Amino acid sequence: MTLRRMQVTDFRCLHQAEIDLDPEFTLISGPNASGKTSLLEAIYLLGRGRSFRTRRLDHLIRTGCERLIVVGEVEIPARVTLGIEGSKAGVRARIAGERANSLAELASAFPVQIIDPEVHRLVEEGPSYRRRFLDWGVFHVEPTFVVHWQNYRQALKQRNAALKTRQPRAIVSAWDGDLIHYGNLLTEARTRYVALLATEGQALSRALLGMELGLAYRVGWDASLTFREALDRSWLSDQEFGSTQVGPQRAELSLRLDGLPVKDRISRGQQKLLAAALLIAQLKFFPEHSPVRPTLLLDDPAAELDSHRLVELIREVRAQAVQLVVTTLHAEFSAFGTPGHRLVVDRGIVSTH
């Protein structure tokens, strides 16, 4: 599965753009602030239903316009049309003309990942970034994960609503059965995935950083307890805060390099390489015989990397079975080989090379 064509309307600085993409490698060049990253952002939106740069939908809509539209054709191998419309009312997604019931359907139809100059946030920011990274990977490896996740979120929402309105324990606990059942299923799936990710991540960390990576999944409660026992012990805290204080929604992916916690201990460039190693490792776990082949976006890969580390990053990326879309300042950028398609962006206008 690859993205073959995309139309963008009123997305950031892009008024109208219609592009074709190569199933293997597309190179997008242009000066700074020309719209290259916005083009990648539109591709990302098509597969995620959100931006990788901002949570503010209004920031994505071109100034003076009321809505944005992104339409893409993916091959699975037959061509299927995906569409995103964003406005003040929110985001609406369609797949093959039918309204998508959830953004997970987009992710299934068009899996897309990005390595950009801000990729270090996966290391630097809070646990929610890493949970989102983790769940995107588990979703593509374990088909039942998304159903378990949705059921867990529903039970958590109902339990938190009861806590917030100060309902008695008997009413709050009515949701504990579903919460525990689906919470344990999520935890087991995430734990299995982290064990797989650790093996590939260690090899990539050695190649890109020359350091040993350690990954550990913290379940979101005292690991010496069962989830049920943790809920029982957390009752007073749950009452005090008006929300459930333990569970997979509090889980964390712990990162260590050479045995030490990574946050505040390594440089920005090292953080970027570590995050890239995790993302590349994640791409290795797509089912071998699946029609899904992920798309990897690289936004200015040379930023903040010395020449040696850039060479190593390029070598690892080229070894992956992905559709590659790369932005660069220079029209000639042979590091990834010869692109099957070239695009030039200048002041929001996209043209072929």
Side-chain angles (χ1 to χ4, degrees):
M1 176 189 300
T2 56
L3 179 65
R4 301 306 303 271
R5 179 169 294 176
M6 186 176 72
Q7 296 175 312
V8 181
T9 303
D10 294 330
F11 186 95
R12 289 200 185 266
C13 65
L14 305 170
H15 173 44
Q16 294 280 350
E18 183 170 346
I19 64 171
D20 293 318
L21 294 104
D22 186 76
E24 301 297 331
F25 175 29
T26 298
L27 183 68
I28 303 172
S29 62
N32 286 324
S34 61
K36 302 188 303 298
T37 300
S38 295
L39 203 55
L40 292 190
E41 194 176 13
I43 296 173
Y44 190 89
L45 182 73
L46 199 60
R48 296 292 191 101
R50 62 178 180 84
S51 165
F52 60 83
R53 297 165 76 187
T54 179
R55 296 182 180 181
R56 294 282 302 273
L57 179 63
D58 57 312
H59 287 182
L60 306 181
I61 302 172
R62 190 166 178 262
T63 302
C65 300
E66 295 184 354
R67 64 175 185 169
L68 65 85
I69 297 174
V70 181
V71 177
E73 293 181 3
V74 296
E75 284 189 340
I76 328 182
R79 291 206 176 188
V80 174
T81 301
L82 310 179
I84 292 284
E85 180 181 339
S87 67
K88 292 180 179 179
V91 171
R92 293 191 299 175
R94 290 187 176 276
I95 301 175
E98 299 293 329
R99 186 163 184 171
N101 294 318
S102 71
L103 296 181
E105 294 183 29
L106 281 180
S108 180
F110 179 50
V112 59
Q113 193 56 277
I114 185 163
I115 298 175
D116 72 327
E118 298 299 310
V119 72
H120 62 86
R121 290 184 299 173
L122 180 60
V123 175
E124 190 177 62
E125 297 290 344
S128 62
Y129 273 80
R130 290 178 287 280
R131 283 196 299 271
R132 190 160 57 235
F133 156 80
L134 195 59
D135 287 347
W136 187 84
V138 182
F139 167 76
H140 287 290
V141 172
E142 302 209 15
T144 59
F145 178 79
V146 67
V147 176
H148 297 158
W149 186 88
Q150 289 168 341
N151 287 334
Y152 180 81
R153 294 293 296 178
Q154 180 63 23
L156 181 65
K157 179 180 178 182
Q158 297 293 342
R159 190 179 195 272
N160 284 345
L163 284 166
K164 189 174 182 179
T165 55
R166 305 298 179 186
Q167 297 296 320
R169 187 167 185 172
I171 293 179
V172 174
S173 298
W175 301 101
D176 287 3
D178 281 351
L179 198 75
I180 292 166
H181 175 69
Y182 292 110
N184 284 332
L185 290 173
L186 291 186
T187 299
E188 291 164 7
R190 285 172 169 177
T191 301
R192 286 191 295 269
Y193 185 77
V194 171
L196 291 173
L197 192 66
T199 302
E200 293 293 345
Q202 287 165 1
L204 286 162
S205 176
R206 285 192 291 267
L208 295 179
L209 286 151
M211 303 174 79
E212 290 295 322
L213 171 65
L215 294 181
Y217 179 63
R218 298 175 181 171
V219 295
W221 65 86
D222 183 342
S224 68
L225 305 174
T226 66
F227 189 11
R228 183 179 295 279
E229 290 169 341
L231 277 175
D232 287 341
R233 292 196 184 186
S234 183
W235 171 248
L236 293 179
S237 294
D238 291 356
Q239 280 188 305
E240 179 183 355
F241 291 100
S243 63
T244 306
Q245 298 301 297
V246 296
Q249 78 281 4
R250 299 276 180 166
E252 164 70 301
L253 179 64
S254 172
L255 310 175
R256 288 177 173 265
L257 284 174
D258 287 346
L260 297 174
V262 299
K263 192 171 183 180
D264 302 324
R265 292 179 182 269
I266 59 176
S267 69
R268 178 64 58 83
Q270 288 174 313
Q271 289 180 353
K272 179 175 179 179
L273 284 168
L274 174 55
L278 290 169
L279 291 168
I280 294 169
Q282 192 176 63
L283 295 174
K284 291 177 177 285
F285 293 113
F286 276 73
E288 184 177 351
H289 302 295
S290 169
V292 172
R293 183 156 65 99
T295 295
L296 177 61
L297 313 176
L298 265 70
D299 189 16
D300 192 12
E304 300 185 41
L305 294 181
D306 60 45
S307 58
H308 172 68
R309 297 304 182 193
L310 179 60
V311 167
E312 290 298 322
L313 175 63
I314 290 169
R315 182 177 65 82
E316 294 296 343
V317 168
R318 290 187 67 182
Q320 308 312 309
V322 297
Q323 178 185 27
L324 188 62
V325 184
V326 180
T327 67
T328 175
L329 292 172
H330 310 291
E332 296 302 325
F333 187 66
S334 60
F336 292 94
T338 303
H341 200 69
R342 297 175 185 266
L343 300 171
V344 177
V345 185
D346 190 13
R347 291 173 290 184
I349 298 174
V350 184
S351 59
T352 56
H353 183 69

